[in-house]
């Protein structure tokens, strides 16, 4: 266990353990970091303290179940959205806690925007997140009869072009071609 644990006040230790037991990792890291920052502890060290608490509390941790990726669950989430779905998209993202993961997103056109349907993390069991998200996304897109887009299915890239970027590019090129034709 991290030596920094001993520097935390008893109340902070209880709060951190309560967060860990509920699998609220980010909240636990924030509590440790804020309490130990005056001592020069950085974010990475705070994450190590929390990781040690996960190991110490072991089987008592109530891990958050993964988001469902089955078609009925995803279709129910889509049905609850406020608008029309124009496309389904898989998008890489990452953080220091989970590493790389894939968000499955419904791209809306009226009202314009997007809504996260599921986040797919690496799990010791099951397929990698890119494979699982692509499979679920294709099935949902087919069910909704809309396009599925995954700009970087094989390599994590959180700067890969988004579906709407391609649509805007197509609209711009079409507009440019119309101007050239009529010019």
């Amino acid at each position: 266990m991290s030596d920094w644990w001993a520097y935390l006040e008893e109340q902070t230790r209880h709060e951190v353990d309560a967060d860990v037991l509920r699998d609220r990792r980010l909240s636990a890291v924030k509590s440790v970091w804020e309490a130990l920052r005056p001592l020069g502890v950085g974010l990475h060290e705070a994450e190590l303290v929390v990781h040690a608490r996960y190991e110490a509390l072991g089987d008592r941790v109530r891990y958050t179940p993964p988001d469902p990726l089955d078609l009925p669950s995803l279709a129910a989430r889509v049905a609850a959205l406020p608008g029309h779905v124009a496309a389904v998209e898989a998008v890489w993202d990452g953080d220091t806690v989970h590493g790389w993961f894939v968000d499955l997103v419904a791209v809306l056109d009226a009202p314009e925007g997007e809504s996260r349907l599921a986040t797919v993390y690496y799990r010791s069991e099951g397929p990698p997140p890119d494979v699982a998200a692509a499979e679920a996304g294709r099935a949902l897109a087919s069910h909704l009869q809309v396009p599925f887009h995954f700009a970087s299915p094989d390599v994590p890239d959180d700067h890969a072009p988004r579906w709407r970027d391609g649509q805007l590019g197509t609209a711009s090129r079409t507009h440019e071609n119309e101007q050239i034709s009529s010019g």
Side-chain angles (χ1 to χ4, degrees):
M1 183 179 307
S2 170
D3 293 335
W4 289 111
W5 183 250
Y7 288 90
L8 292 173
E9 294 179 5
E10 193 66 29
Q11 178 64 29
T12 303
R13 289 185 198 178
H14 287 296
E15 290 171 10
V16 170
D17 278 353
D19 282 340
V20 168
L21 288 170
R22 291 179 301 195
D23 196 24
R24 297 183 58 193
R25 186 180 299 264
L26 293 178
S27 181
V29 169
K30 182 179 183 232
S31 295
V32 170
W33 186 52
E34 287 178 349
L36 297 178
R37 191 170 29 184
L39 300 176
V41 171
L43 187 56
H44 179 69
E45 291 158 313
E47 291 176 77
L48 293 175
V49 171
V50 171
H51 179 73
R53 293 310 299 160
Y54 268 84
E55 288 181 343
L57 296 171
D59 291 340
R60 295 177 45 208
V61 176
R62 292 177 303 201
Y63 286 97
T64 306
D67 287 340
L69 294 176
D70 60 286
L71 185 56
S73 296
L74 293 172
R77 285 189 171 202
V78 166
L81 295 177
H84 177 261
V85 176
V88 175
E89 186 171 29
V91 181
W92 283 104
D93 201 355
D95 61 36
T96 56
V97 174
H98 300 101
W100 287 106
F101 53 87
V102 178
D103 282 327
L104 199 56
V105 176
V107 180
L108 305 174
D109 64 1
E112 188 173 309
E114 64 183 40
S115 182
R116 187 188 66 77
L117 301 171
T119 299
V120 187
Y121 298 104
Y122 277 99
R123 300 274 182 192
S124 57
E125 72 287 344
D130 52 335
V131 172
E135 181 179 304
R138 279 189 202 96
L140 180 61
S142 175
H143 173 75
L144 298 173
Q145 298 180 333
V146 298
F148 174 70
H149 181 258
F150 195 172
S152 183
D154 301 319
V155 179
D157 180 0
D158 57 352
H159 292 45
R162 300 289 305 270
W163 180 80
R164 199 171 299 284
D165 297 338
Q167 293 305 108
L168 293 174
T170 300
S172 295
R173 284 191 300 277
T174 301
H175 180 68
E176 289 169 7
N177 290 340
E178 288 171 0
Q179 285 180 331
I180 293 168
S181 299
S182 63

